[in-house]
């Protein structure tokens, strides 16, 4: 059909000066704007443009110029394409709303986030049928705690996550990949992310690829468990060290906060930052498994509850705290703000490269330090005298010896200075043993599960994968009196390498250039990762030897500010 050209007049119709019959109503009627449509038809000989005909570009003169019909058809095709795109977008939005509506209709345990159910007593989220019906009748299902959470609150170790970062032993009801999938929607939402990192396992719990989960949402970095650092640690040095490490990882964060959920250090600063940056958005607490998210939320609600009645009411039904990594199995909504936005506790991100992913569930509590760390230095005169190795160590230092950190780590000292010392920072339950390197293999086979634990017991040793990764480290240093590097073991702790121990510094006056390198061989279970990093400034010695780096104006502007 030929296109129609429409012409519209929006002015009053002009009337003749002399009317044979004067009618005021007639004038009043025609005093309003009236639209008149004039239709003009093109010649019927013009062929109707077809959809399959290619449309020439607009422009040209003579025979090359586009006809009005072709221009109209081009506009129609663009309009139809836009309609199709809008239709697809609406379809995706409806599907997303449908999923979110289904999720909102499923009532979950307020302690762990698992959906409530009455069919299987062994599965998380189980509630007695009578209790479930009673609470449902009174619309109080959101106040129900499942059976697993009740056991966890009384100290029972009940694992629930397995595979790809989960646990090889114990009960496994959900996979680590399924839990990670529950966080995938964050990249499409406008939210404020509070990312937690454990200072004892900074590298292992950092979540370097967190942007794949949260997208472009702003991030507040919270460093937890600073109360576990050795005494006389200067938190100013630690804050600068964390800011430097975060800048090197190229993760754009708004601010850094050093906190302790136990002593409430730094919690007020996090609350102030959240209230400043929330702007009506939901707040998600995100971090690796067992990084302390539930404890942090409880500390947050405790301090907020002093002034905010909504947070005080939310404390009654707060998430369960447990030593078992993977306590939280689903997002837990907490109505902690009087204004817009909710607070969400999320399932921990289980990482396959941490020690928790390889040990049996019964040995998980051993990996979590419960009190302030105290470095265990080697050479250790007491240990050396007990093993009859005092004379050998005094002569040649640690060269030719192997140190076992429980059954999880073996350090072969290949080439170091006679005065070099290694200091172990980690759980006190892990004992350290030293033997000559040529006897290390036989010692490990004999004592695994007995003296070298975890794994615990001969039965646990039978299923143990062994120390499948061997990495040779070449550590260079400039100043012999400062720690050269930290060797961090993912999910466990770190080993500080000092070229010349404090007790031997008076005797060592200078070092040749060829000697400024230390060689170590590190054995860990597969796939646990080993990180060589700048020394974390802990204790009095670390604070005294820490050097602040001079920053340019641009670096000063881009670098995140830290608080405690």
């Amino acid at each position: 059909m030929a296109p129609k050209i429409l012409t519209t007049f929006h002015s009053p119709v002009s009337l003749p000066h002399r009317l044979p019959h004067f009618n005021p109503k007639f004038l009043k009627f025609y005093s309003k704007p009236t639209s008149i449509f004039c239709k003009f038809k093109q010649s019927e000989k013009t062929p109707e443009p077809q959809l399959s005909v290619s449309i020439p570009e607009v422009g040209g003169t003579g025979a090359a110029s586009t006809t009005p019909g072709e221009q109209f058809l081009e506009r129609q095709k663009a309009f139809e394409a836009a309609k199709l795109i809008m239709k697809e977008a609406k379809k995706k939005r409806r599907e997303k709303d449908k999923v979110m509506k289904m999720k909102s209709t499923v009532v979950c345990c307020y302690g762990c986030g698992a959906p409530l159910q009455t069919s299987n007593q062994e599965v998380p989220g189980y509630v007695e049928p009578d209790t479930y019906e009673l609470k449902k009748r009174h619309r109080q299902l959101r106040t129900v705690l499942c059976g697993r959470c009740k056991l966890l609150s009384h100290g029972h170790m009940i694992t629930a996550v397995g595979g790809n970062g989960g646990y090889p032993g114990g009960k496994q009801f959900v996979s680590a990949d399924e839990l990670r999938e529950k966080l995938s929607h964050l990249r499409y939402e406008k939210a404020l992310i509070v990312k937690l990192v454990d200072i004892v396992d900074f590298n292992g719990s950092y979540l370097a690829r967190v942007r794949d989960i949260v997208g472009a949402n702003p991030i507040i970095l919270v460093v937890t468990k600073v109360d576990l650092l050795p005494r006389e640690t200067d938190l100013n040095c630690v804050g600068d060290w964390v800011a430097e490490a975060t800048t090197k990882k190229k993760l754009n964060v708004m601010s850094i906060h050093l906190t302790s959920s136990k002593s409430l250090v730094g919690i007020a600063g996090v609350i102030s930052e959240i209230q400043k940056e929330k702007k009506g958005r939901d707040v998600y607490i995100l971090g690796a498994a067992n990084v302390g998210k539930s404890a942090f939320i409880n500390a947050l609600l405790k301090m907020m509850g002093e002034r905010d009645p909504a947070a005080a009411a939310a404390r009654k039904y707060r998430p369960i705290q447990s030593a078992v990594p993977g306590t939280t199995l689903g997002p837990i909504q907490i109505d902690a703000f009087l204004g817009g936005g909710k607070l969400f506790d999320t399932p921990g991100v289980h990482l396959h490269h941490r020690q928790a992913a390889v040990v049996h569930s019964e040995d998980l509590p051993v990996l979590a330090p419960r009190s302030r760390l105290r470095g265990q230095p080697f050479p250790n005169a007491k240990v050396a005298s007990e093993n009859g190795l005092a004379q050998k160590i005094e002569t040649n230092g640690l060269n030719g010896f192997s140190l076992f950190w429980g059954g999880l780590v073996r350090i072969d000292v290949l080439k170091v200075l006679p005065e070099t010392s290694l200091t172990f920072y980690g759980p006190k339950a892990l004992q350290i043993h030293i033997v000559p390197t040529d006897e290390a293999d036989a010692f490990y086979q004999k004592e695994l599960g007995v003296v070298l634990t975890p794994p615990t017991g001969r039965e646990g040793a039978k299923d143990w994968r062994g120390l499948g990764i061997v990495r040779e480290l070449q550590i260079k240093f400039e100043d012999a009196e400062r720690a050269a590097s930290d060797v961090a073991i993912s999910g466990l702790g770190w080993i500080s390498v000092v070229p010349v121990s404090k007790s031997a510094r008076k005797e060592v006056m200078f070092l040749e250039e060829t000697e400024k390198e230390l060689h170590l061989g590190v054995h860990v279970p597969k796939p646990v990762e080993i990180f060589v990093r700048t020394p974390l400034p802990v204790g009095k010695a670390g604070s005294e030897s820490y050097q602040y780096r001079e920053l340019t104006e641009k670096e000063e502007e881009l670098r995140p500010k830290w608080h405690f």
Side-chain angles (χ1 to χ4, degrees), residues 431-452:
Q431 299 297 319
I432 302 174
H433 301 272
I434 182 169
V435 297
T437 301
D438 54 4
E439 301 175 11
D441 291 336
F443 179 78
Y444 188 74
Q445 294 295 330
K446 179 183 177 181
E447 300 297 341
L448 184 65
V450 182
V451 173
L452 301 177

Side-chain angles (χ1 to χ4, degrees), residues 331-346:
I332 302 174
Q333 177 180 313
I334 304 169
D335 300 328
F337 307 114
L338 282 177
K342 307 289 183 183
L343 180 67
F344 286 88
D345 186 10
T346 62

Side-chain angles (χ1 to χ4, degrees), residues 31-56:
S31 64
K32 296 181 180 179
T34 305
S35 298
I36 299 178
F37 300 93
C38 302
K39 301 180 181 180
F40 300 93
K41 292 185 179 181
Q42 287 186 344
S43 175
E44 296 180 356
K45 296 181 181 180
T46 305
E48 182 178 351
Q50 301 294 326
L51 292 176
S52 60
V53 177
S54 59
I55 302 171

Side-chain angles (χ1 to χ4, degrees), residues 131-302:
T131 304
Y132 184 89
E133 292 299 328
L134 179 63
K135 293 293 184 179
K136 184 178 180 181
R137 192 181 309 121
H138 291 87
R139 298 182 180 180
Q140 296 178 343
L141 284 176
R142 297 189 182 277
T143 66
V144 174
L145 196 66
C146 75
R148 174 176 174 266
C149 286
K150 291 179 180 178
L151 293 175
L152 289 174
S153 63
H154 287 84
H156 292 263
M157 302 296 293
I158 306 174
T159 58
V161 185
N164 195 24
Y167 315 111
K171 298 177 180 179
Q172 302 175 13
F173 302 104
V174 64
S175 69
D177 292 332
E178 289 174 341
L179 286 187
R180 200 175 289 113
E181 185 64 26
K182 293 183 179 181
L183 303 174
S184 61
H185 67 94
L186 288 179
R187 73 181 72 177
Y188 306 111
E189 295 187 9
K190 291 184 178 180
L192 177 62
I193 307 299
V194 180
K195 175 190 169 185
L196 270 58
V197 180
D198 185 351
I199 191 62
V200 179
D201 183 29
F202 183 85
N203 297 82
S205 64
Y206 192 80
L207 295 182
R209 301 183 64 182
V210 70
R211 285 293 178 189
D212 294 345
I213 300 175
V214 304
N217 285 314
I219 296 176
I220 298 173
L221 183 65
V222 174
V223 182
T224 62
K225 305 180 184 179
V226 296
D227 58 309
L228 296 180
L229 294 176
R231 296 185 184 280
E232 299 184 333
T233 297
D234 188 349
L235 292 183
N236 289 291
C237 299
V238 175
D240 186 79
W241 184 90
V242 172
E244 187 72 13
T246 303
T247 304
K248 288 180 180 178
K249 291 179 181 294
K250 298 181 179 180
L251 178 64
N252 186 23
V253 300
M254 303 175 66
S255 59
I256 298 171
H257 299 263
L258 307 183
T259 68
S260 167
S261 300
K262 185 177 180 180
S263 62
L264 301 182
V265 169
I267 300 297
V270 180
I271 295 173
S272 176
E273 187 76 7
I274 289 175
Q275 297 289 5
K276 174 184 174 184
E277 302 294 341
K278 183 166 67 70
K279 299 175 183 178
R281 295 174 292 192
D282 291 334
V283 180
Y284 287 83
I285 310 299
L286 190 70
N290 209 31
V291 78
K293 295 185 298 299
S294 297
F296 171 76
I297 289 176
N298 290 340
L300 209 66
L301 294 177
K302 181 178 181 180

